[in-house]
Amino acid sequence: MSTRRETVRQALTESSGFRSAQDLYADLRSEGSKIGLTTVYRALQALSDSGEVDVLRTDDGEAVYRACITDSHHHHLVCRGCGKAVEIEGPMVERWADSVGTQHGFTDITHTVEVFGTCADCAAAKG
Amino acid sequence: MSTRRETVRQALTESSGFRSAQDLYADLRSEGSKIGLTTVYRALQALSDSGEVDVLRTDDGEAVYRACITDSHHHHLVCRGCGKAVEIEGPMVERWADSVGTQHGFTDITHTVEVFGTCADCAAAKG
DNA sequence: GCGGATAACGAAAACGGTTGTCAAAATCCG
DNA sequence: CGGATTTTGACAACCGTTTTCGTTATCCGC
């Protein structure tokens, strides 16, 4: 009876990038769903166990999830001052991730890259 | 009066690798110190703020600290089946992240890289 | 359809690491 | 010594996550 699990999977797939369980819960509730937080967590755990989503931790310990898409993607260069994000591409990095994974006998390789910095404006503002 | 901060710094320096705040607290208590958990956290936070220790998060969200002002920045290749993690290095990626950030006028650049895959064992087990 | 076993659900409580509160103790300065 | 300031640590609050447990929905043999 994985209707709820499907719902969560879909919500995650539709949103790009990483979402926290609480984010997804808020999203679903605001869409009118009566899903419970517990179920969101359970679904994410199940999806994670079966390898359908990737999980990692933010700096403040929150778990964030991403639908596991092997499809090509881009990354973001995020300003830690104002949050401005620039889309960046790194074919070199894609190749590197694949090759390093393959070297260790891993298959079905995906990766995430986040680059953080202080943008020119914020650097200037800060003095 | 930063004897306590010194104590924590020293405890961290003496132990190799990553330790959690709770670990350090337990260590210090077992050595007879009457330090409080709050103080350990405060000291670690201060040390982290001043860049004297590195912080990261374990898979279950616990913060771990390492006295290390230097090198050994590495990433992880994580199996999405069994969770096994392999430490990987990618000087190329480090350089790429720096250069792409600089190109966009960003300074003070950091980055995170996570590579996910299915390890040989799990691929075999799964069929 | 009907009824009971089974699985999924969700509200609320429990949990564990972390952070905040606040009064007591230590330190500093005059 | 005495008062201002800082540091400390017991304790409570917090927050994301997990567990509990009673309710509800689904499945399956009749």
Side-chain angles (χ1 to χ4, degrees):
Chain A
M1 183 224 298
S2 3
T3 29
R4 295 270 101 133
R5 178 156 147 188
E6 277 306 320
T7 306
V8 172
R9 186 213 310 275
Q10 190 177 344
L12 190 54
T13 304
E14 281 169 2
S15 52
S16 63
F18 286 94
R19 312 299 307 278
S20 72
Q22 314 261 354
D23 282 350
L24 287 169
Y25 172 65
D27 288 356
L28 291 168
R29 295 292 282 204
S30 75
E31 285 171 11
S33 171
K34 292 283 183 247
I35 198 170
L37 183 56
T38 309
T39 306
V40 175
Y41 274 108
R42 265 194 295 245
L44 288 171
Q45 214 161 309
L47 290 168
S48 156
D49 284 350
S50 68
E52 296 173 71
V53 307
D54 292 334
V55 196
L56 55 84
R57 293 271 174 177
T58 64
D59 284 347
D60 58 336
E62 199 176 15
V64 288
Y65 304 82
R66 184 191 60 177
C68 179
I69 308 162
T70 331
D71 186 299
S72 85
H73 57 180
H74 59 263
H75 307 294
H76 288 104
L77 169 59
V78 184
C79 175
R80 64 166 71 85
C82 61
K84 182 173 68 183
V86 180
E87 292 187 357
I88 53 180
E89 282 184 16
M92 174 195 309
V93 174
E94 322 285 326
R95 267 185 267 113
W96 168 81
D98 280 352
S99 79
V100 78
T102 306
Q103 273 170 31
H104 287 88
F106 282 57
T107 52
D108 216 5
I109 295 160
T110 63
H111 64 274
T112 73
V113 175
E114 305 286 334
V115 184
F116 299 93
T118 304
C119 77
D121 292 347
C122 287
K126 195 169 150 191
Chain B
M1 189 216 296
S2 18
T3 17
R4 298 269 100 137
R5 179 173 311 180
E6 277 306 320
T7 305
V8 172
R9 188 214 310 276
Q10 190 175 345
L12 191 53
T13 304
E14 281 169 2
S15 52
S16 64
F18 287 95
R19 311 300 306 278
S20 74
Q22 314 262 353
D23 282 351
L24 287 168
Y25 172 66
D27 287 356
L28 291 168
R29 296 293 282 205
S30 76
E31 284 171 11
S33 171
K34 291 283 182 252
I35 198 170
L37 182 55
T38 310
T39 306
V40 174
Y41 275 107
R42 264 196 296 249
L44 288 171
Q45 213 160 308
L47 290 169
S48 156
D49 284 349
S50 68
E52 295 173 71
V53 308
D54 292 336
V55 196
L56 56 85
R57 292 273 173 174
T58 64
D59 284 347
D60 58 334
E62 199 177 15
V64 288
Y65 305 82
R66 180 188 57 181
C68 178
I69 315 109
T70 49
D71 58 288
S72 79
H73 167 84
H74 61 260
H75 306 293
H76 287 104
L77 170 59
V78 184
C79 175
R80 66 166 68 86
C82 60
K84 183 173 68 181
V86 181
E87 292 186 357
I88 53 180
E89 284 184 15
M92 174 195 310
V93 175
E94 321 287 325
R95 267 185 267 112
W96 169 82
D98 279 353
S99 79
V100 79
T102 306
Q103 274 169 31
H104 288 86
F106 283 57
T107 51
D108 219 4
I109 295 160
T110 63
H111 64 273
T112 70
V113 175
E114 303 286 334
V115 184
F116 298 92
T118 304
C119 76
D121 292 347
C122 287
K126 194 168 152 191

